[in-house]
Amino acid sequence: MKAAARARANIALLKYWGKADDGPLNIPAVGSISITLDALWSDTEVHFDGSLAADELTLNGQHRPEQLDRVRRCLDLLRGRAGVKRPARITSRNNFPTGAGLASSASGYAALTAAAAAALDVKLTARELSIVARQGSGSAARSVFGGFVEMHAGMRPDGSDSYAEPLMPAEAWPLELVVAVTARSEKQVSSRAGMTRSAATSPYFPAWVARSPVDLKQGREAILKRDFESLADVAERNCLSMHGAAMAARPPLLYWNGATIACLEAVRELRRGGVPVFFTIDAGPQLKAVCAPGESAAVREALTDVPGVVDVLQSGLGCGVEAAIPDSG
Ligand code: 2P0
């Protein structure tokens, strides 16, 4: 009863921010559209073992008992379907720097869900896998798939229509990503806490939710037409709207530092100079520059020179989650 899976990180171009249900179902208030990355992944092994007293989680070599509540949401759904009660030993490792603000929960929970389902021999469709992964972390629902991915917020209170699905394969438009790391410390307010605070206290939160379907439509159409200008326009606006809603929360949420703004200006300068690139920023100070195929070298060079940038990472688009049952053990 042991299996391993690899899932890749994803970056939302149209953001998920806020929950319709922040209980165990973890249903987002808005849909989202992301790209799955090829260079950043989580490798997770799950071993259901009757000799264990309780579930155990090791992340990058360290025990992380505080994550077990969320992990159990996914595991218990799968154990329930398999009729298995055994505890699990979960060993997970990210190939990208921890604390780099790179959505490790997305790749981590997608890999966990796929590995646990394989270990228990529970046959799930990719959509069902996405629904289970969502209950560990909303963005993980998207990392089940590769390329361009759309997450539907759904309407049903049981979350059965809140899942991600592929929008367009990576090969159809191999965009490139450059990440400017501007701080290595863990963020002070988690995405989860930031979303809850924004929804509860930001006067701009209802406007953010109301605008989302319009942004999603423009983003979806821009991707399907490979219209870089239109995608750049909606992605930057949507990102700044998410941060605007967060900044208006009480107390305010400001995820950026000075270097984040300097990177943002560098990206705008590049675009004014004719380089097809736009920025996006998640719940942390790192800036992600998305560029047209073949354009990442110039973007990387420009961002490396920005004062305050401590590291620069690069990635193309990648595939969905892959699970394997080990030969032995
Ligand atoms: C996103 N973020 O769409 C947005 C943009 C951060 C900013 O999804 O509470 O870790 O586990 O469902 O998925 C990060 O939030 O939140 C995130 P939970 P998650 O990528």
Side-chain angles (χ1 to χ4, degrees), residues 200-234:
T201 69
S202 173
Y204 301 159
F205 186 77
W208 157 255
V209 174
R211 178 75 196 177
S212 166
V214 183
D215 284 1
L216 286 166
K217 182 170 186 287
Q218 184 178 338
R220 193 184 302 122
E221 288 176 0
I223 289 166
L224 295 173
K225 286 191 215 145
R226 299 159 187 75
D227 180 341
F228 194 87
E229 273 303 309
S230 176
L231 183 60
D233 169 65
V234 70

Side-chain angles (χ1 to χ4, degrees), residues 10-17 19 26-28 31-34 70 73 103-106 109 133-142 187 190-193 195-196 242-243 255 280-284:
N10 73 75
I11 299 291
L13 306 181
L14 286 307
K15 306 290 188 193
Y16 151 46
W17 192 252
K19 294 163 196 276
N26 197 36
I27 300 173
S32 52
I33 294 179
S34 59
R70 284 171 80 180
R73 287 186 202 166
S104 55
S105 68
Y109 281 93
R134 183 199 79 223
Q135 293 171 66
S137 188
S139 51
R142 301 188 306 239
K187 60 187 164 228
S190 70
S191 299
R192 186 158 292 205
M195 288 186 204
T196 304
M242 177 203 117
H243 285 276
Y255 285 108
T280 189
I281 309 163
D282 293 301

Side-chain angles (χ1 to χ4, degrees), residues 111-147:
L112 168 79
T113 303
L120 291 166
D121 199 24
V122 174
K123 306 270 187 266
L124 297 182
T125 63
R127 179 174 297 181
E128 290 171 322
L129 208 57
S130 176
I131 288 173
V132 177
R134 183 199 79 223
Q135 293 171 66
S137 188
S139 51
R142 301 188 306 239
S143 274
V144 169
F145 303 99

Side-chain angles (χ1 to χ4, degrees), residues 64-285:
R64 297 292 293 266
E66 82 286 355
Q67 292 274 335
L68 278 171
D69 278 350
R70 284 171 80 180
V71 163
R72 278 197 201 100
R73 287 186 202 166
C74 298
L75 291 184
D76 287 347
L77 285 167
L78 298 170
R79 279 191 284 237
R81 284 183 70 138
V84 168
K85 293 212 161 80
R86 291 183 196 191
R89 180 180 298 110
I90 303 132
T91 315
S92 189
R93 198 164 278 285
N94 300 327
N95 81 326
F96 51 93
T98 311
L102 284 162
S104 55
S105 68
S107 49
Y109 281 93
L112 168 79
T113 303
L120 291 166
D121 199 24
V122 174
K123 306 270 187 266
L124 297 182
T125 63
R127 179 174 297 181
E128 290 171 322
L129 208 57
S130 176
I131 288 173
V132 177
R134 183 199 79 223
Q135 293 171 66
S137 188
S139 51
R142 301 188 306 239
S143 274
V144 169
F145 303 99
F148 297 80
V149 179
E150 178 160 7
M151 172 81 191
H152 303 284
M155 305 282 285
R156 297 190 199 130
D158 68 356
S160 58
D161 57 352
S162 176
Y163 53 79
E165 62 184 351
L167 182 59
M168 192 168 82
E171 310 77 66
W173 200 21
L175 298 181
E176 297 171 7
L177 184 89
V178 178
V179 182
V181 179
T182 65
R184 294 187 196 280
S185 52
E186 296 262 342
K187 60 187 164 228
Q188 288 173 356
V189 182
S190 70
S191 299
R192 186 158 292 205
M195 288 186 204
T196 304
R197 190 191 297 174
S198 301
T201 69
S202 173
Y204 301 159
F205 186 77
W208 157 255
V209 174
R211 178 75 196 177
S212 166
V214 183
D215 284 1
L216 286 166
K217 182 170 186 287
Q218 184 178 338
R220 193 184 302 122
E221 288 176 0
I223 289 166
L224 295 173
K225 286 191 215 145
R226 299 159 187 75
D227 180 341
F228 194 87
E229 273 303 309
S230 176
L231 183 60
D233 169 65
V234 70
E236 290 189 351
R237 190 155 36 75
N238 179 270
C239 162
L240 295 179
S241 301
M242 177 203 117
H243 285 276
M247 284 179 206
R250 291 193 309 271
L253 289 156
L254 183 55
Y255 285 108
W256 308 344
N257 59 31
T260 316
I261 305 281
C263 288
L264 185 158
E265 286 173 346
V267 167
R268 288 191 156 175
E269 185 64 34
L270 283 166
R271 192 143 95 253
R272 275 196 293 273
V275 180
V277 57
F278 65 85
F279 67 81
T280 189
I281 309 163
D282 293 301

